Each structure stands twice: as C-alpha cells, then as structure tokens.
Amino acid sequence: MPKSEEKELVVTPLDNMQGRIDYIPHKMIQVYDKPYGKIVNELEHDTTVTLTGKATNTDGVVWYQINQRGFVNGSYVKTGA
C-alpha cells in the first residue's frame, strides 16, 4: 500500500465494543502499532478484547484498534454486533 493511501486511513472511535479474536486455536495473531505498521504484540485465538477504534482502507480491509494500544486485522475479530 502506498504511503499516501496509508495516511488517509481515519480511525473512527468505538465505544469500547467487546470483541473476540477468531483465528486458529492455540495460534496467535499480530497486533500492529498502526494499520500495516510494525508488530508490537500478539494475541491468542479466543482472547476477549475491547475495541476502541475502527479504520477501513480503500480496498475495504477493516482494522480494529484494541484498547488504544494497537491494531488487528478485522478478519480475525468477531463482534457482538
């Protein structure tokens, strides 16, 4: 993704919506400092998370901000909504 497109991602605040990591049992997904950024942490499958923001790129890829500490690809997050 070009740097100019990355800067266009706007994070929409979420009101501490609950979500759950839905990946592969006993496996981890990466948490990034920003969408498409550097890996800062990992979360295990079935971990409950608090979603504090959401960003969608021009291709429709959704990223969720977790506890204002990082971003995960929305493909691996199940929400109550």
Side-chain angles (χ1 to χ4, degrees):
M1 165 178 281
K3 288 284 185 192
S4 60
E5 187 175 339
E6 181 179 311
K7 290 179 183 173
E8 293 173 14
L9 285 179
V10 174
V11 178
T12 303
L14 296 176
D15 191 22
N16 296 321
M17 183 185 343
Q18 292 299 298
R20 186 176 51 81
I21 300 302
D22 184 29
Y23 188 51
I24 299 170
H26 312 292
K27 298 290 183 183
M28 310 282 269
I29 65 162
Q30 286 79 34
V31 179
Y32 298 88
D33 63 342
K34 60 185 177 183
Y36 304 105
K38 291 188 283 185
I39 297 170
V40 295
N41 202 352
E42 291 184 321
L43 290 171
E44 189 171 358
H45 168 76
D46 211 30
T47 300
T48 299
V49 292
T50 300
L51 308 176
T52 53
K54 178 180 178 180
T56 306
N57 78 4
T58 55
D59 293 332
V61 176
V62 173
W63 290 84
Y64 284 110
Q65 187 177 35
I66 306 294
N67 299 330
Q68 299 182 338
R69 294 190 177 159
F71 289 83
V72 294
N73 187 305
S75 301
Y76 307 120
V77 177
K78 292 286 186 199
T79 63

